Amino acid sequence: MAAAEGGEPTRIMVAVNESTIKGYPHASISSRGAFEWTLKKVVRSNTSGFKLLFLHVQVPDEDGFDDMDSIFASPEDFRTMKHRDKIRGLHLLEYFVKQCHEIGVACEAWVKKGDPKEIICYEVKRVQPDFLVVGSRGLGPFQKVFVGTVSEFCVKHADCPVIAIKRSAAQTPQDPVDD
Amino acid sequence: MAAAEGGEPTRIMVAVNESTIKGYPHASISSRGAFEWTLKKVVRSNTSGFKLLFLHVQVPDEDGFDDMDSIFASPEDFRTMKHRDKIRGLHLLEYFVKQCHEIGVACEAWVKKGDPKEIICYEVKRVQPDFLVVGSRGLGPFQKVFVGTVSEFCVKHADCPVIAIKRSAAQTPQDPVDD
């Protein structure tokens, strides 16, 4: 057996989300960490050997809090809101796509809406990446009870190998639930 | 940020064990799968960018079954037995090291004795690889109760990112607990 000398690039799906501290279009600390880890430790100088697939899942604003001060007078207003949400997600993805282009790594990026853990697993089934990289806040058991963890769910349920990259202690904000 | 253009190679620890069907020096199906996956999907043609660290943990023969027909007449006999066990482990590692040499990937390999899941996590702490690759039989919940799974333990407890590579359905022996 020999190492692959070319052929199809290795397709790595990277699940990314927005910063809970700075909001859109900023990426969360753990998303950025997972992306940078992938470039540094896996892709390295072999930029033609890999293709990164960025998936951002937007959580529907169930309590409508973000739109509390908005006035909805027509169906058009709702369409505008949905459009604005989508644009926010695209600006987040822009951060990752731009860096890939600068380095010369092929990539694709898209936005979905729903429960992140379920949508990520669904997209893995559909897109069939070689593996999935997810950032993780590295929460303790007590914190996990309240916020759940997408990375643990994906490790268990995604239909491809999964590698969870924990945020370093130095990057952890005062409230570890923030990201 | 740019992809690494050289510098220190990415150090990947690969935990390997012997075949439960064919015994030493044959590698288990899931160990071979994890190794081949690493070469094909991560190392690819970038052979100078990675160093593989093969760890084989031997489980002490607690019930002495393997040595039931042996006669122990002196301390020397016990030393011979221990020496023979060690040699078996080295022959297993030879399989992986030989392939790395043929491809031109740097590697190191060593044998430890004890509970695989605990020793692997201990060695991760000591050696600090960039990530750990473990093969997994992909057992169902019923089978797991009886045999435990090293990969799940490592995913939870190892002090580095871990990627578990499941054996494909096509490679699963009649009894899925075999490997």
Side-chain angles (χ1 to χ4, degrees):
Chain A
M1 213 195 85
E5 293 294 341
E8 287 299 300
T10 298
R11 296 161 71 244
I12 308 176
M13 187 184 275
V14 185
V16 298
N17 59 354
E18 77 279 18
S19 166
T20 60
I21 305 167
K22 297 194 242 167
Y24 282 113
H26 302 281
S28 68
I29 298 165
S30 58
S31 298
R32 272 186 287 130
F35 170 58
E36 284 162 19
W37 183 91
T38 305
L39 290 180
K40 195 173 166 205
K41 298 300 185 183
V42 177
V43 174
R44 298 183 58 98
S45 60
N46 186 12
T47 48
S48 63
F50 296 88
K51 180 170 188 176
L52 300 188
L53 311 171
F54 298 102
L55 169 62
H56 171 49
V57 183
Q58 290 188 316
V59 183
D61 177 29
E62 278 171 13
D63 54 8
F65 187 80
D66 287 351
D67 294 297
M68 238 167 47
D69 296 326
S70 308
I71 294 166
F72 298 94
S74 72
E76 178 57 31
D77 288 341
F78 285 96
R79 273 196 291 276
T80 307
M81 181 188 74
K82 278 181 189 158
H83 182 68
R84 195 195 58 203
D85 283 354
K86 183 97 188 227
I87 294 288
R88 284 174 170 177
L90 293 176
H91 278 148
L92 168 67
L93 290 173
E94 200 180 355
Y95 168 85
F96 297 99
V97 171
K98 209 176 149 195
Q99 289 197 54
C100 282
H101 274 252
E102 279 170 13
I103 299 162
V105 179
C107 70
E108 277 176 32
W110 67 103
V111 178
K112 288 274 168 184
K113 208 151 194 160
D115 181 352
K117 61 186 193 302
E118 279 167 24
I119 302 287
I120 293 169
C121 291
Y122 181 86
E123 290 293 283
V124 161
K125 256 204 177 76
R126 189 179 68 83
V127 171
Q128 302 190 351
D130 290 304
F131 62 103
L132 169 68
V133 181
V134 280
S136 153
R137 285 168 291 185
L139 298 178
F142 179 76
Q143 294 146 347
K144 275 182 199 167
V145 172
F146 295 99
V147 300
T149 85
V150 172
S151 60
E152 276 193 18
F153 185 93
C154 293
V155 164
K156 275 194 189 156
H157 299 287
D159 258 1
C160 74
V162 180
I163 191 157
I165 307 300
K166 272 187 201 140
R167 209 168 47 178
S168 70
Q171 291 175 307
T172 302
Q174 262 193 320
D175 183 344
V177 169
D178 277 336
D179 191 21
Chain B
M1 212 197 83
E5 293 294 341
E8 287 299 299
T10 298
R11 297 161 72 243
I12 308 175
M13 186 184 278
V14 185
V16 298
N17 60 354
E18 76 280 19
S19 166
T20 60
I21 305 167
K22 296 194 243 167
Y24 282 113
H26 302 280
S28 68
I29 298 166
S30 57
S31 298
R32 272 186 287 132
F35 170 58
E36 285 163 17
W37 184 92
T38 305
L39 290 180
K40 196 174 164 200
K41 299 300 185 183
V42 177
V43 175
R44 299 184 57 99
S45 60
N46 186 11
T47 47
S48 64
F50 296 88
K51 182 169 186 176
L52 300 188
L53 311 171
F54 298 102
L55 168 62
H56 171 50
V57 184
Q58 291 190 315
V59 183
D61 177 29
E62 277 171 13
D63 54 7
F65 187 81
D66 288 351
D67 293 297
M68 240 168 44
D69 295 327
S70 308
I71 294 165
F72 297 93
S74 72
E76 178 58 31
D77 288 341
F78 286 94
R79 273 196 290 276
T80 307
M81 182 187 71
K82 278 181 191 160
H83 181 69
R84 195 194 56 205
D85 283 353
K86 184 99 188 227
I87 294 287
R88 283 173 170 178
L90 293 176
H91 278 149
L92 167 68
L93 290 173
E94 199 180 356
Y95 168 84
F96 297 99
V97 171
K98 210 178 147 194
Q99 289 197 53
C100 282
H101 274 251
E102 280 170 13
I103 299 162
V105 180
C107 70
E108 276 176 33
W110 67 103
V111 178
K112 288 274 168 184
K113 208 151 194 160
D115 181 354
K117 60 185 192 305
E118 280 167 22
I119 301 286
I120 292 169
C121 291
Y122 181 86
E123 290 294 283
V124 161
K125 256 203 179 74
R126 189 179 66 83
V127 171
Q128 303 190 350
D130 290 304
F131 62 103
L132 168 68
V133 181
V134 281
S136 153
R137 285 169 291 186
L139 297 177
F142 179 76
Q143 294 147 348
K144 275 182 199 168
V145 172
F146 296 99
V147 301
T149 84
V150 172
S151 60
E152 276 193 17
F153 185 92
C154 293
V155 164
K156 276 194 190 156
H157 300 287
D159 258 1
C160 74
V162 180
I163 191 158
I165 306 299
K166 271 187 201 142
R167 207 168 50 181
S168 70
Q171 290 175 309
T172 303
Q174 261 193 320
D175 183 344
V177 170
D178 277 337
D179 191 20

